[in-house]
Amino acid sequence: MKKLMSLLAVSLLAVLLVACGGDDNANEGQNGENESASEGGEKIIRAGIGLNQNHPQYKGLLKFKEIVEEETDGEITVETYHSGQLGDDRTMTEALQLGTQEVTVPSTAPIANFVPEFSVFDIPFLFPSEEVADEVLAGDVAQDLLKKLEEKDLVGLAYWENGFRDLTNSERPVETIEDFDGLKIRTMENDIHLAAFEELGANPTPMAFTELFTAMQQGTVDGQENPYATIYLENYFEVQDYVSDTHHVYSPFVFLMSKEFYDGLSEEEQQIVRDAAKEAGEYQIKLNREANAEYLEKLVDEGMEFSEISDEERQKMVDAVQPVIEDFKDDIGAETVDGIMEAVEQAQGE
């Protein structure tokens, strides 16, 4: 009887050891970058984004991983997850607040659910160029917005770039403000975007990003608006015929870290992740701008018809959406709106 009990105990121990060992490879197969992410490091950063592995955003995340692991001699390791493997932007941001995830890099629009002042970046036609956006985002008002995130258990380490959002549709070329009339355009679930497209004469339809391709394929909506990189990498050219450089919104990404995790780092480690987020951001922005020019060419090669908006027509669009700014100014925060718009004017004048 004792021998039987001993054999059972040994068998049970073996099963437990196998079960525990299985966790080491839990991330293998999700993406190839994580094979050694759980080995050797004392601290692990799980970094997730919604876009796929070919997007410049993910390549920026890999650069962040490279810098952090090198600068900490492997004491901090970074696991990278693309294509919404850890959830959508809001889900991942909430996971940062709870301390169950360490990094995500959402657009500013979903961040406005946590800090309303970030809605300032949803103001249509706010930035006339990438150069003006760069200067404003490096300035005091935009940097102060990052500091507000700490009140929500988040740390904003740097601005990255999603880029200018442009219009595609399957109905007709859009070259003038009149061409918007009646188009069913998918937008994010964002009141400012909805109001802006209504002022332009379109019929905006809020919808989750994951539902968009099928909605365009089935004709539920006529079109959508996103940067060229997203349009190409999500294969929207398969269900859309026309693309226009409306440049109606410039959308930054924000590199977010869990405050709980950040506070648990040493001062030296905090500086390393801050510097890495900024350096990787510069790399990501460079890749993003190169990619957008390249992807527009590819969209045309795939058969999409490109329409360039003239300065005169763009100004008509700018004038049409002015009521939106006044309607939402107090909701965003009048001080923030005035500060950002003043910074834009200063950047344009230099």
Side-chain angles (χ1 to χ4, degrees), residues 77-93:
T77 56
V78 182
E79 296 178 356
T80 57
Y81 299 85
H82 55 76
S83 306
Q85 290 172 333
L86 301 183
D88 60 22
D89 285 342
R90 180 159 189 159
T91 299
M92 288 190 285
T93 302

Side-chain angles (χ1 to χ4, degrees), residues 38-293:
S38 297
E39 299 174 7
E42 292 183 356
K43 297 173 183 175
I44 297 175
I45 293 175
R46 287 157 293 185
I49 60 170
L51 294 170
N52 69 32
Q53 71 273 23
N54 297 315
H55 196 281
Q57 186 191 38
Y58 186 67
K59 294 176 182 178
L61 210 56
L62 293 181
K63 174 63 72 172
F64 173 78
K65 168 186 173 70
E66 175 189 320
I67 297 168
V68 168
E69 292 183 350
E70 181 178 339
E71 292 297 318
T72 64
D73 293 324
E75 289 299 308
I76 299 177
T77 56
V78 182
E79 296 178 356
T80 57
Y81 299 85
H82 55 76
S83 306
Q85 290 172 333
L86 301 183
D88 60 22
D89 285 342
R90 180 159 189 159
T91 299
M92 288 190 285
T93 302
E94 290 173 345
L96 262 60
Q97 291 179 307
L98 295 170
T100 57
Q101 183 178 329
E102 289 70 44
V103 163
T104 190
V105 194
S107 295
T108 50
I111 295 175
N113 291 310
F114 303 89
V115 178
E117 288 89 342
F118 274 92
S119 289
V120 70
F121 298 115
D122 293 311
I123 291 176
F125 304 104
L126 176 65
F127 293 121
S129 69
E130 292 165 340
E131 292 74 23
V132 168
D134 288 343
E135 187 163 339
V136 172
L137 292 173
D140 291 342
V141 180
Q143 293 298 311
D144 285 344
L145 286 180
L146 294 182
K147 295 174 184 175
K148 287 181 177 292
L149 290 162
E150 296 191 18
E151 301 168 10
K152 301 298 181 179
D153 295 323
L154 302 165
V155 179
L157 297 181
Y159 286 104
W160 288 18
E161 179 179 86
N162 191 3
F164 279 110
R165 303 180 74 89
D166 292 295
L167 182 73
T168 71
N169 81 96
S170 58
E171 291 295 307
R172 56 179 175 266
V174 173
E175 298 177 345
T176 70
I177 191 169
E178 289 78 16
D179 293 330
F180 280 94
D181 190 40
L183 284 178
K184 293 177 290 184
I185 303 299
R186 177 269 176 182
T187 70
M188 291 185 286
E189 297 177 12
N190 180 289
D191 290 341
I192 299 176
H193 288 207
L194 290 167
F197 275 103
E198 286 175 355
E199 293 291 346
L200 291 170
N203 180 16
T205 304
M207 183 181 297
F209 183 73
T210 51
E211 301 171 7
L212 177 54
F213 188 94
T214 301
M216 291 189 293
Q217 190 175 43
Q218 296 177 346
T220 306
V221 295
D222 300 319
Q224 61 83 54
E225 42 86 49
N226 262 299
Y228 296 139
T230 303
I231 295 168
Y232 181 78
L233 292 172
E234 296 295 331
N235 297 322
Y236 292 164
F237 54 82
E238 295 180 1
V239 289
Q240 297 278 271
D241 299 317
Y242 307 101
V243 56
S244 303
D245 67 338
T246 49
H247 278 28
H248 50 277
V249 168
Y250 176 88
S251 179
F253 287 131
V254 178
F255 192 102
L256 294 178
M257 180 169 280
S258 163
K259 189 172 187 300
E260 178 181 323
F261 178 81
Y262 182 82
D263 288 346
L265 299 176
S266 67
E267 288 186 12
E268 181 183 2
E269 289 170 334
Q270 289 178 350
Q271 192 61 52
I272 287 172
V273 296
R274 279 191 173 276
D275 291 345
K278 290 178 183 178
E279 183 178 342
E282 292 168 2
Y283 173 78
Q284 183 268 335
I285 289 169
K286 179 176 181 294
L287 287 184
N288 199 60
R289 291 177 184 176
E290 291 172 352
N292 273 321

